[in-house]
């Protein structure tokens, strides 16, 4: 999905089969929902309790070595840089809009939410004093509601750079709607004991700005006939999340602290389908979207929810880290992601290389808390299958970091440790794989090879279309005279790949800008 705005960073939405779902005939699910079946005569010998505990303890040790778990002082510095950067961006937007006739009242009302920007402060940006970031819930520059409206105002001015229309711009200066959205955020339907507020995901439906962003982050949940989450369901969600947060605090104390330091709001709902959805975006700072399935709430799989919460914590933390930096990561779409099978930016690759291993490590740490052998077996299979795509991804992330300029790495030094940390988690998943029965192990290894073969096929499709993806496992290649086939060495294996008629070439800024333009009219019509 593409965020609304000019950042190259991308929100994440995952709709993969959860390990608590029914799997027929003892098969295991790969993350793309393909079913891997062991041989019919295979027999599962359960791991001993001591081995399960040993692997869980190793996972907890790896969680403590998380590369972005910087000191509180360091994160305070990052938060302050984020505040100052956003203050400058917001100030410039307000200054441009203030030059339009009949917009002064709306501009001052919006500016009034931000210290130093009120009373025309946005016209004196270079004279404003230094500011120190406060807690996530008290920092207006980490408000999702205010960020959404400021982003909408900035886009409306960009769309009409030559001659802004006052009527269009004033649609993004609606004090009553802005105040209503902010009230939902500051006075949520309920709060968890850690202080994070829960807002029904349907609540901002009357807000054209918030509605557009929520739809883009979780498009499969925004159907007009989606029922409102009632009070009883909200209570069940709150109880479920309390237990998931408690599990995180027990198994990953540092991750828990970073989670509650990075989030002030969860937009929550219930899915009638079997899958759960978790999503976050730099365009909605300090918040995440969670739609839990009825099955998840019924079965009480708090471990899966805890792991997915940490996945979103990783997205938020890495996004916060990169957007706060003075030196930005390169925004070119040059890397094929084995999770998306499409060209992605380095930041998107790092998001997957950082958050998915974190989630897998948490799931492994929770294995010792699962008493039911069958459920534990399904969860084990899911971890191994989910991590399979990290095999090429970690090396791609490492190569991308190697190609960065010195200034970027000086500004973002901690990202250099992501591939090695993720690799250690993948090694631990390998130990988990080694404990599987032979037939299951063979099925998983076949899935890993399928991932590599699919990666080669996707790279071949890009090369046939004139793109030059970067992947250290890619070797010699040759396109035939017709231009319809390519011979490619990948990971030491020879592939002959025909050009597919309907394969997506990948995103680029032109398509991205076109997406932004198509969103504009729907927002304006809603206003």
């Amino acid at each position: 999905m593409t965020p609304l705005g000019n950042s190259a960073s991308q929100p994440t939405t995952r709709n993969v089969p959860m390990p608590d779902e029914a799997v027929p005939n003892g098969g295991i699910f790969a993350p793309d929902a393909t079913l891997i079946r062991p041989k019919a005569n295979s027999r599962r010998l359960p791991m001993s309790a001591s081995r399960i505990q040993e692997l869980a303890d190793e996972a907890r040790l790896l969680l403590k070595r998380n590369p972005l778990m910087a000191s509180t002082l360091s994160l305070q510095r990052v938060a302050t840089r984020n505040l100052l950067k956003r203050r400058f961006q917001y100030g410039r937007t307000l200054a441009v809009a203030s030059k339009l006739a009949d917009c002064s009242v709306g501009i001052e009302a919006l500016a009034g939410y931000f210290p130093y920007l009120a009373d025309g402060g946005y016209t004196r940006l270079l004279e404003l004093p230094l500011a120190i970031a406060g807690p996530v819930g008290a920092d207006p520059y980490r408000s999702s509601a205010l960020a959404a409206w400021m982003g909408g105002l900035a886009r409306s001015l960009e769309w009409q750079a030559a001659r802004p229309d006052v009527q269009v711009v004033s649609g993004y200066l609606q004090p009553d709607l802005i105040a209503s959205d902010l009230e939902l955020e500051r006075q949520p339907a309920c709060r968890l004991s850690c202080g994070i507020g829960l807002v029904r995901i349907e609540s901002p439906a009357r807000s054209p700005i918030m509605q557009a962003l929520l739809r883009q982050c979780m498009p499969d949940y925004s159907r007009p006939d989606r029922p409102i989450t009632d009070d009883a369901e909200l209570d069940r969600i709150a109880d479920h999340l309390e237990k998931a947060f408690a599990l995180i605090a027990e198994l990953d104390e540092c991750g828990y602290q970073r989670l509650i330091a990075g989030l002030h709001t969860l937009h929550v709902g219930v899915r009638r389908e079997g899958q759960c959805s978790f999503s976050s975006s730099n365009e909605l700072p300090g918040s995440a979207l969670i739609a839990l399935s009825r099955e998840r709430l019924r079965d009480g799989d708090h471990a899966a929810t805890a792991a997915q919460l940490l996945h979103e914590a990783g997205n938020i933390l890495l996004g916060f880290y990169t957007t706060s930096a003075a030196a930005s990561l390169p925004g070119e779409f040059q890397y094929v992601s084995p999770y998306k099978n499409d060209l992605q930016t380095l930041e998107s690759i790092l998001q997957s290389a950082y958050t998915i291993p974190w989630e897998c490590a948490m799931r492994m740490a929770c294995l010792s808390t699962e008493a039911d052998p069958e459920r534990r077996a399904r969860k084990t299979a899911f971890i191994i299958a989910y991590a399979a795509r990290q095999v090429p991804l970690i090396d791609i992330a490492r190569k991308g970091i190697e190609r960065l300029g010195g200034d970027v790495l000086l500004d973002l030094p901690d990202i250099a440790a992501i591939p090695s940390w993720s690799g250690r988690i993948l090694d631990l998943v390998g130990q988990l794989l080694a404990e599987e029965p032979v037939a299951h192990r063979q099925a998983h290894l076949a899935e890993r090879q399928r991932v590599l073969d699919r990666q080669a096929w996707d790279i071949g499709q890009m090369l046939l279309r004139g793109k030059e993806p970067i992947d250290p496992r890619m070797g010699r290649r040759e396109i035939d005279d017709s231009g319809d086939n390519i011979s490619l060495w990948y990971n030491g294996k020879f592939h002959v790949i025909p050009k597919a008629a309907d394969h997506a070439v990948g995103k680029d800024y032109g398509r991205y800008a076109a997406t932004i333009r198509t969103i504009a009219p729907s927002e304006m019509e809603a206003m």
Side-chain angles (χ1 to χ4, degrees):
M1 272 163 293
T2 309
L4 294 172
N6 288 332
S7 168
S9 60
Q10 296 180 342
T12 55
T13 299
R14 296 175 298 113
N15 292 304
V16 297
M18 292 297 103
D20 57 342
E21 294 177 18
V23 180
N25 301 324
I28 58 173
F29 269 122
D32 63 350
T34 57
L35 185 64
I36 305 171
R37 298 184 189 277
K39 293 179 180 177
N41 61 354
S42 66
R43 186 166 62 92
R44 174 178 293 280
L45 298 176
M47 276 187 287
S48 67
S50 61
R51 184 57 176 152
I52 294 169
Q53 188 62 57
E54 181 183 341
L55 291 174
D57 289 343
E58 289 186 41
R60 291 178 68 174
L61 287 175
L62 285 175
L63 289 170
K64 290 181 179 179
R65 295 171 187 162
N66 193 313
L68 293 191
M69 290 302 163
S71 67
T72 302
L73 180 63
S74 176
L75 284 178
Q76 177 65 30
R77 192 181 305 119
V78 169
T80 294
R81 288 170 65 176
N82 181 275
L83 182 155
L84 295 175
K85 195 170 183 179
R86 281 189 181 261
R87 185 174 74 175
F88 188 74
Q89 292 170 344
Y90 289 1
R92 285 194 307 178
T93 297
L94 293 168
V96 171
S98 69
K99 296 176 182 178
L100 300 177
D102 301 324
C103 286
S104 58
V105 174
I107 289 293
E108 285 300 329
L110 188 51
Y113 290 110
F114 306 103
Y116 302 114
L117 293 187
D119 300 321
Y122 48 82
T123 64
R124 305 184 299 274
L125 290 176
L126 299 180
E127 303 170 17
L128 298 181
L130 192 67
I132 305 298
V136 62
D139 183 353
Y141 293 94
R142 293 170 77 178
S143 161
S144 294
L146 295 177
W149 282 93
M150 285 301 310
L153 178 61
R155 290 192 302 275
S156 74
L157 295 169
E158 291 168 7
W159 294 326
Q160 312 168 81
R163 185 181 298 176
D165 187 311
V166 174
Q167 286 188 322
V168 172
V169 173
S170 63
Y172 297 87
L173 298 168
Q174 300 189 55
D176 291 345
L177 280 178
I178 296 171
S180 175
D181 287 346
L182 192 58
E183 181 71 11
L184 281 174
E185 183 176 289
R186 293 182 173 175
Q187 300 294 329
C190 66
R191 285 192 185 277
L192 302 178
S193 58
C194 63
I196 294 175
L198 302 186
V199 175
R200 290 179 176 88
I201 206 169
E202 306 91 350
S203 294
R206 62 181 174 275
S207 168
I209 301 298
M210 292 297 292
Q211 188 182 49
L213 277 171
L214 295 179
R215 273 203 311 266
Q216 194 157 18
C217 280
M218 198 175 285
D220 64 338
Y221 191 79
S222 57
R223 298 198 306 266
D225 61 340
R226 176 69 61 182
I228 301 294
T229 305
D230 62 30
D231 290 342
E233 287 176 323
L234 185 63
D235 289 342
R236 285 194 290 273
I237 292 171
D239 179 69
H240 182 89
L241 291 175
E242 286 283 10
K243 292 172 181 173
F245 272 85
L247 191 58
I248 295 171
E250 176 188 349
L251 299 178
D252 187 1
E253 184 177 356
C254 240
Y256 175 78
Q257 293 300 327
R258 295 299 172 253
L259 181 58
I260 62 175
L263 277 173
H264 54 68
T265 302
L266 292 173
H267 291 89
V268 298
V270 175
R271 290 187 68 102
R272 275 53 182 172
E273 303 87 352
Q275 298 176 5
C276 300
S277 296
F278 288 65
S279 182
S280 58
S281 169
N282 287 339
E283 302 298 320
L284 292 168
S287 67
L289 286 70
I290 297 177
L292 296 171
S293 68
R294 285 175 166 172
E295 288 82 356
R296 177 71 63 82
L297 292 172
R298 179 197 65 211
D299 297 342
D301 192 349
H302 308 112
T305 299
Q308 290 176 285
L309 282 168
L310 286 179
H311 182 123
E312 294 312 322
N315 281 321
I316 292 164
L317 183 59
L318 183 58
F320 191 51
Y321 185 66
T322 55
T323 56
S324 300
S328 300
L329 290 172
E332 295 83 8
F333 291 84
Q334 291 185 287
Y335 306 89
V336 175
S337 168
Y339 284 94
K340 297 175 182 288
N341 302 121
D342 199 356
L343 285 175
Q344 299 292 316
T345 64
L346 176 57
E347 179 161 356
S348 178
I349 293 294
L350 288 176
Q351 289 280 4
S352 295
Y354 178 53
T355 60
I356 292 173
W358 191 356
E359 179 182 346
C360 287
M362 184 63 181
R363 287 180 182 272
M364 289 187 69
C366 291
L367 283 178
S368 59
T369 68
E370 179 55 70
D372 182 84
E374 285 303 317
R375 283 169 61 97
R376 187 169 62 241
R378 288 198 298 271
K379 291 182 177 186
T380 298
F382 179 84
I383 293 167
I384 297 168
Y386 194 28
R389 301 185 190 201
Q390 290 289 314
V391 173
L393 186 81
I394 291 171
D395 287 341
I396 295 170
R398 185 178 287 111
K399 183 66 175 179
I401 290 172
E402 287 174 359
R403 299 178 69 251
L404 290 176
D407 290 344
V408 179
L409 276 182
L410 283 174
D411 204 27
L412 300 168
D414 294 337
I415 65 171
I418 289 175
S420 59
W421 177 73
S422 301
R424 287 195 292 273
I425 293 174
L426 188 58
D427 288 342
L428 187 58
V429 174
Q431 295 182 45
L432 192 64
L433 174 59
E435 301 291 333
E436 288 284 274
V438 173
H440 285 252
R441 191 158 63 245
Q442 289 173 342
H444 280 295
L445 292 174
E447 165 63 11
R448 285 193 177 188
Q449 186 58 52
R450 192 195 68 79
V451 167
L452 293 170
D453 290 344
R454 172 60 193 252
Q455 185 74 359
W457 190 86
D458 279 306
I459 287 174
Q461 297 305 315
M462 302 304 169
L463 292 170
L464 286 166
R465 287 163 173 78
K467 304 290 182 178
E468 284 293 331
I470 297 166
D471 190 318
R473 293 173 185 251
M474 180 170 59
R476 297 191 309 274
R477 77 282 183 103
E478 182 178 354
I479 299 177
D480 67 11
D481 293 339
S482 69
D484 292 330
N485 299 277
I486 185 169
S487 301
L488 171 69
W489 284 92
Y490 186 80
N491 197 48
K493 183 178 177 181
F494 183 70
H495 300 263
V496 178
I497 302 166
K499 188 175 184 178
D502 59 349
H503 188 267
V505 177
K507 295 170 184 167
D508 56 35
Y509 188 78
R511 284 177 55 193
Y512 172 65
T515 301
I516 297 299
R517 285 193 293 271
T518 61
I519 291 169
S522 63
E523 283 186 0
M524 294 172 190
E525 287 170 8
M527 290 175 182

